[in-house]
Amino acid sequence: MTKSAAPAKTTAGQLLTIANIQAAKTEQHAAPQQPSNDDYNHPTNHQEKATTAATASPEWRTIRDRYIGHLMGCNACYAPADRHCATGADLRQQYNDIPIKQSPEQ
């Protein structure tokens, strides 16, 4: 005669069944609640444009393009090691000196 094992119980005293386990997994993987439209409709007092290459000044983009173009063609320059030929070092200095943001009067 074999004894059947008693069903496992959770700490809350509920029977631990396959249905309970599957229900718990479903709750854990439920889709997050979507924010309401009210979250998007509130105007902010401070709106600032992100500064990216697309919003940078034309002068900055020109210097950046010259520097990167030189790096791509010069075997003596290796930017990750901060190794540059004379021309590359000059272009890198120009790139470092010019701010990416447009001036307010532009």
Side-chain angles (χ1 to χ4, degrees):
M1 183 166 155
T2 61
K3 292 183 180 181
S4 62
K9 292 190 175 192
T10 64
T11 56
Q14 296 176 327
L15 288 177
L16 189 58
T17 64
I18 293 174
N20 289 345
I21 294 170
Q22 289 174 341
K25 285 182 180 179
T26 303
E27 289 174 8
Q28 290 174 353
H29 297 291
Q33 291 183 354
Q34 295 294 324
S36 68
N37 284 338
D38 292 339
D39 294 338
Y40 297 108
N41 293 332
H42 295 294
T44 58
N45 293 336
H46 180 68
Q47 294 180 354
E48 186 175 319
K49 265 172 107 173
T51 303
T52 64
T55 60
S57 67
E59 294 83 14
W60 181 88
R61 285 192 302 250
T62 300
I63 290 173
R64 178 211 52 191
D65 292 345
R66 288 177 55 210
Y67 173 60
I68 292 175
H70 176 80
L71 287 177
M72 296 297 115
C74 180
N75 291 331
C77 291
Y78 185 66
D82 199 26
R83 184 179 70 216
H84 298 89
C85 68
T87 303
D90 182 50
L91 290 169
R92 178 63 190 199
Q93 189 60 49
Q94 290 176 26
Y95 177 77
N96 287 343
D97 289 345
I98 190 164
I100 188 171
K101 289 186 176 186
Q102 289 183 343
S103 60
E105 59 272 355
Q106 287 183 352

